Each structure stands twice: as C-alpha cells, then as structure tokens.
C-alpha cells in the first residue's frame, strides 16, 4: 500500500493504464485496467440510458453511472493491483483480506483531498460500499460484460487459457440479464456488435 499524497486521486486514476489485467493468463490482446475502465464506463452509460429513456426508470442517472464507472477500480492503482479471480476468491480469508486492502485504499484516496468538502463529494464515487445500490448494479453488470467480451475474443482466437474465464463470465452475465431488463436489452441489441471483428462491424449490413 502506498502513502497517498494530497490531491493525488487524478494522478492515481491516470496510472490505471499501467496495471495489466488477467495477469496469470496468456493474452493475445493486451488489456489493462485503464482500457477496461473506459469500456466499462461506455457500457454502463448505455445500460443506464436504456433504463432511463427506453424503459422509463426515473431513478437512474446515466451521467452519474458513467462517473461511478470511471472510479470503480481506482483502488487497484494504489492498493493491491488487479488480483486474479482465482487468487482473490481462493478462500474466505483471501477474499476478506483483499477486500479490506481495497477498502483501505478507497478511504485513503477519498481522504487525500485538501478540501474536505470536495473529498466528501468524491466519496460518493470512490468508496464502493457507499454507492447507490441500483446504480452500482449497472456498473457491475458492465464490468461483467466487458470481461465476457475479452474472454470471448480470446477464446475465438484459439486461446484456451480463457475457456474457464469465458464460462464463468457467461454464467455471471446470464444472472445479470435475468435480474435486469436494461441489461437484457443491452445484451440483445448492443453486445453482438461488440463481438464483431472490424470487417463485420464496418461492412456488415445496416439494420
């Protein structure tokens, strides 16, 4: 764990691109937490827009959801990094330890602002346990969808390292689809194009 300097949150957030995702697995395509964060924000914003404007849910604020997504993995930059799922959830003791480290990193980051009032506002984005439950669900769904897309593309390219990850992400995604109409709409209407290669995306028939 690092000692967080005053007003260092933007600097730590910008370092997310230095954290490699899927560190124990062979990756045909490089992935890092910075890229992942951007993708999650895009997906989460679309799910929130669907919830609000397609399904008429007035309690969902798409802009707030997108901002929450930007900070959802912030603790990894100054804390334990991107811990492989098989390590983080290998036992209850390991899970509790890593979650405690992440929670401490979030608190340290939120407390680093020289303007305490400003820091209090930022807690609403940084401290994951204090996020609005409905909006946090959307960000988590987007996180799962991004993991599913990466695993699917790795597997399609013949990388069997991602066989288990693909199945796990697919199972989790199905749970979110069953629990949320907005997630289901995204998966039906938007996910297929996210899985296309460039030629399919650029030259496919417009519908």
């Amino acid at each position: 764990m690092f000692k967080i300097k005053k007003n260092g949150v933007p600097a730590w957030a910008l370092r997310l691109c230095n954290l490699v995702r899927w560190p124990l697995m062979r990756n045909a395509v490089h992935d890092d937490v910075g890229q992942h964060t951007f993708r999650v924000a895009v997906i989460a914003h679309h799910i929130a827009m669907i919830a609000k404007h397609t399904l008429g849910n007035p309690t969902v604020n798409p802009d707030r959801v997108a901002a929450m997504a930007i900070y959802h993995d912030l603790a990894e930059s100054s804390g334990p990094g991107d811990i492989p799922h098989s390590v983080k959830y290998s036992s209850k003791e390991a899970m509790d330890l890593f979650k405690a480290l992440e929670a401490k990193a979030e608190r340290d980051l939120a407390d680093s602002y020289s303007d305490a009032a400003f820091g209090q506002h930022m807690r609403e984005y940084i401290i994951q346990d204090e996020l609005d439950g409905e909006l946090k669900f959307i960000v988590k769904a987007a996180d799962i969808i991004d993991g599913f897309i990466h695993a699917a593309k790795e597997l399609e390219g013949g990388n069997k390292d991602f066989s288990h990850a693909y199945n796990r992400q697919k199972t989790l995604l199905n749970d979110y689809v069953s629990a949320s109409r907005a997630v289901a709409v995204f998966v039906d209407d938007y996910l297929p194009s996210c899985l296309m290669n460039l030629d399919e995306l650029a030259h496919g028939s417009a519908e």
Side-chain angles (χ1 to χ4, degrees), residues 129-182:
D129 286 343
E130 297 182 10
L131 301 182
D132 176 274
E134 181 181 28
L135 305 186
K136 183 179 179 179
F137 177 93
I138 293 175
V139 175
K140 185 58 182 175
D143 183 61
I144 296 299
I145 291 170
D146 181 62
F148 173 80
I149 291 170
H150 184 81
K153 290 185 175 181
E154 289 284 343
L155 196 58
E156 183 181 30
N159 186 356
K160 294 183 178 180
D161 268 13
F162 278 84
S163 297
H164 177 71
Y166 173 83
N167 290 331
R168 179 170 53 82
Q169 296 296 119
K170 185 176 182 179
T171 297
L172 292 170
L173 179 54
N174 287 338
D175 290 340
Y176 277 87
V177 167
S178 297
S180 168
R181 177 61 182 150

Side-chain angles (χ1 to χ4, degrees), residues 43-90:
I43 295 168
H45 185 255
H46 272 75
I47 295 173
M49 290 289 285
I50 291 167
K52 183 176 181 67
H53 297 292
T54 302
L55 303 178
N57 186 339
T59 65
V60 173
N61 182 331
D63 296 341
R64 186 172 183 81
V65 168
M68 287 168 56
I70 289 172
Y71 297 99
H72 84 281
D73 275 342
L74 177 63
E76 294 184 3
S77 66
S78 64
D82 186 49
I83 304 300
H85 184 276
S86 58
V87 175
K88 187 173 183 178
Y89 297 98
S90 60

Side-chain angles (χ1 to χ4, degrees), residues 1-2 4 9 12-13 16 19 33 37 70-83 88 98-110 125-128:
M1 301 290 289
F2 296 99
I4 308 298
V9 168
W12 286 108
L16 287 171
L19 299 180
V33 181
T37 295
I70 289 172
Y71 297 99
H72 84 281
D73 275 342
L74 177 63
E76 294 184 3
S77 66
S78 64
D82 186 49
I83 304 300
K88 187 173 183 178
F98 287 121
K99 285 186 176 296
L101 289 173
E102 290 171 349
K104 183 180 186 307
E106 290 168 1
R107 292 192 302 272
D108 289 347
L109 287 160
Y125 300 96
I126 296 173
I127 308 295
Q128 297 299 299

